[in-house]
Amino acid sequence: MSIPNRFTASALALAIGAGALTMAPSAHALRGFVTLWQLEYPASLSDDNVVGTNNENIGCALCHNDTNLQLNPYGQDWLNAWTGTTTDELVAALRAIEDLDSDSDPTGSSNIVEINASTQPGWAEGSNPAGVIGLLDPAAPVPDIAVSPLSVDFGAVTVGTTGTGSVNIANVGTDDLTVNSLSVDGSSEFSLPGAPLTPFTVAPSTSVDVDLAYSPVDEGQDNASLDIASDSPGEELVAVALAGTGVAVQPEVCVPSVDPASLDFGSVDVGESPTLDTSFSNSGGASCTVAAAVVSPSGEFQLLTSASFTVAPGGSVPVEVSYTPFDAGDDSGQLSFTLAGTSIDVPLSGSGVETPTPVLDLDIKSLKASKNVSVTKGQGIVKIELSVENNGEVEGSASATITGLQNAVTVYEETQNVTDAVGNGSSKFTFPSYTPETDGEIVWTAVIDDSDPDDDVATAITTVRP
């Protein structure tokens, strides 16, 4: 390859060695680099007289950014790949970075893909690069293919039958996507039944489902790929891996299975009755007859569906079990299916829990009785007052009894209902007053009978003078 006399190989080497790639180059040096690039890629747009959207020189922008002429990622990759001093080695460095994605654009397109599209890898930079459209027209629409899933495993398929699947081809871009061809590469046991004729178009934000089929003709593993060719930049060919295993024809016998293989009800409030299902399936070629389905021990676990049934080949029957815990604690049991010559057991488990019952807790805040009285006429009345507060969780009433003991003799006993709202503070209750007939201390005792287990007792003393 030759370069015009205006920029010789030695001058090019001298320019690079002096840092011409990393600093603002002279127009003479710039044209030499652009010329070398143009000679290598003559069909790709790179005219250094064209001005880009940010008023930058596009020829310069092949390797430099448009703000301070520092190397862009593509220019830096070129410089890093150049290990010598000759023009041929510079060209070799260009070729060495063709498969890189220097600008890390959203489409993942390699440098050579963008070069061939005349949307250079140096024309899309920054934290949100414009992709292969580059600086020519950042707003131009572009198709973008998205295929899901990228692998389909049909699993075990009986020889002579067909397993099915599908692949979704979506267009997440902003322009129409053209799917040019759909083909299966590999085992002929994979096919595309009813596939759309190609080429076909997928509009932006829409998708097309492609049906797949696997029809094994013999036993063993089979592999292939669905190749999808389109005009999505950087993703012109997407391959979906296909796999399947042919298995021998099952003899005409019952092949039972249960899924799930155990039933765990978890924590259940005492008295509640949740239900769970398991499915009894038959993958064989003959019917399965369940002579008996039994839950043991009976009681907290109960079978809610038929205790005997028949399942056709390829069919399934749901079986429902309930759990009603009688008390708190762990429970276990077993659901057993009895068939000709075999049985299947399904473990059952659950745990009964008791939700605490809200309680009424009326506590005595104070018991007040006259402290000093006289048996003298007109001065011997004892006034009695009881204050209660509700420290429980519900509102309600309870009986409060006040007794008076004087000289070892019960001289007073009164009972009445007391109540207080939750969070109310306290409520006062006046009991009938008492007129003593003799002197001596009276010991007053108040007791509240509520549902809370704590002792609600208080005392007070009245001194009775002659």
Side-chain angles (χ1 to χ4, degrees):
M1 175 183 295
S2 63
I3 293 182
N5 292 331
R6 61 181 178 176
F7 198 78
T8 65
S10 59
L12 181 62
L14 179 62
I16 295 176
L21 274 176
T22 59
M23 301 179 63
S26 67
H28 184 70
L30 171 64
R31 291 191 183 94
F33 281 96
V34 172
T35 300
L36 178 65
W37 194 95
Q38 290 169 333
L39 288 172
E40 181 63 19
Y41 307 113
S44 187
L45 177 66
S46 61
D47 190 341
D48 57 356
N49 293 320
V50 176
V51 176
T53 57
N54 294 322
N55 293 318
E56 81 285 0
N57 182 288
I58 284 185
C60 193
L62 283 171
C63 296
H64 296 267
N65 62 37
D66 62 339
T67 55
N68 55 17
L69 290 181
Q70 292 296 309
L71 285 175
N72 60 36
Y74 177 72
Q76 187 64 57
D77 283 343
W78 186 13
L79 180 60
N80 292 341
W82 184 51
T83 58
T85 59
T86 69
T87 301
D88 288 342
E89 288 165 329
L90 267 174
V91 173
L94 277 178
R95 295 171 180 169
I97 65 172
E98 286 181 343
D99 291 332
L100 300 181
D101 178 17
S102 294
D103 61 1
S104 300
D105 61 75
T107 66
S109 303
S110 65
N111 294 337
I112 190 63
V113 167
E114 296 195 51
I115 290 170
N116 290 339
S118 290
T119 58
Q120 312 307 340
W123 295 354
E125 312 173 39
S127 60
N128 186 23
V132 297
I133 298 305
L135 297 175
L136 288 176
D137 186 0
V142 60
D144 188 2
I145 192 171
V147 179
S148 177
L150 290 175
S151 64
V152 177
D153 189 347
F154 291 83
V157 178
T158 302
V159 172
T161 65
T162 298
T164 60
S166 67
V167 167
N168 180 263
I169 302 175
N171 181 6
V172 296
T174 55
D175 197 7
D176 285 348
L177 170 74
T178 299
V179 177
N180 297 308
S181 66
L182 298 171
S183 60
V184 174
D185 182 19
S187 172
S188 60
E189 290 158 303
F190 297 94
S191 61
L192 307 175
L197 296 177
T198 55
F200 61 86
T201 299
V202 183
S205 300
T206 65
S207 65
V208 173
D209 287 327
V210 176
D211 292 331
L212 305 172
Y214 171 54
S215 304
V217 297
D218 53 15
E219 297 179 48
Q221 177 77 35
D222 296 301
N223 297 96
S225 68
L226 167 61
D227 295 335
I228 304 170
S230 73
D231 64 349
S232 179
E235 300 173 285
E236 288 81 2
L237 182 63
V238 177
V240 178
L242 307 178
T245 303
V247 296
V249 177
Q250 292 288 334
E252 292 190 358
V253 296
C254 162
V255 181
S257 63
V258 177
D259 184 33
S262 63
L263 297 178
D264 183 1
F265 289 83
S267 297
V268 177
D269 288 339
V270 172
E272 295 294 320
S273 297
T275 63
L276 289 177
D277 288 351
T278 189
S279 181
F280 187 102
S281 301
N282 176 15
S283 59
S287 295
C288 291
T289 298
V290 176
V294 178
V295 168
S296 61
S298 61
E300 291 171 305
F301 296 101
Q302 292 287 331
L303 177 67
L304 300 182
T305 49
S306 176
S308 61
F309 50 86
T310 298
V311 185
S316 63
V317 171
V319 179
E320 188 175 19
V321 177
S322 68
Y323 171 52
T324 308
F326 300 152
D327 50 22
D330 295 334
D331 297 300
S332 61
Q334 185 170 275
L335 168 62
S336 299
F337 297 98
T338 301
L339 300 88
T342 187
S343 65
I344 300 176
D345 296 328
V346 177
L348 308 175
S349 59
S351 181
V353 294
E354 290 185 347
T355 302
T357 303
V359 297
L360 171 69
D361 183 14
L362 292 174
D363 296 328
I364 299 174
K365 186 174 184 180
S366 66
L367 171 62
K368 295 181 179 179
S370 303
K371 292 185 177 181
N372 297 286
V373 297
S374 172
V375 295
T376 305
K377 184 178 180 181
Q379 299 181 5
I381 299 175
V382 179
K383 296 181 180 180
I384 305 168
E385 183 181 86
L386 180 67
S387 294
V388 300
E389 59 183 349
N390 189 351
N391 292 310
E393 300 164 315
V394 296
E395 184 175 350
S397 62
S399 60
T401 300
I402 298 178
T403 58
L405 189 66
Q406 183 182 36
N407 301 323
V409 177
T410 299
V411 296
Y412 182 93
E413 183 172 351
E414 291 288 342
T415 299
Q416 69 180 55
N417 286 333
V418 295
T419 188
D420 184 50
V422 177
N424 182 55
S426 64
S427 299
K428 296 180 180 180
F429 297 89
T430 301
F431 276 66
S433 59
Y434 173 66
T435 302
E437 298 178 353
T438 184
D439 58 357
E441 281 188 345
I442 303 176
V443 177
W444 304 98
T445 301
V447 177
I448 295 179
D449 183 16
D450 57 19
S451 59
D452 191 82
D454 61 354
D455 294 329
D456 302 311
V457 180
T459 60
I461 295 177
T462 299
T463 300
V464 182
R465 300 189 303 275

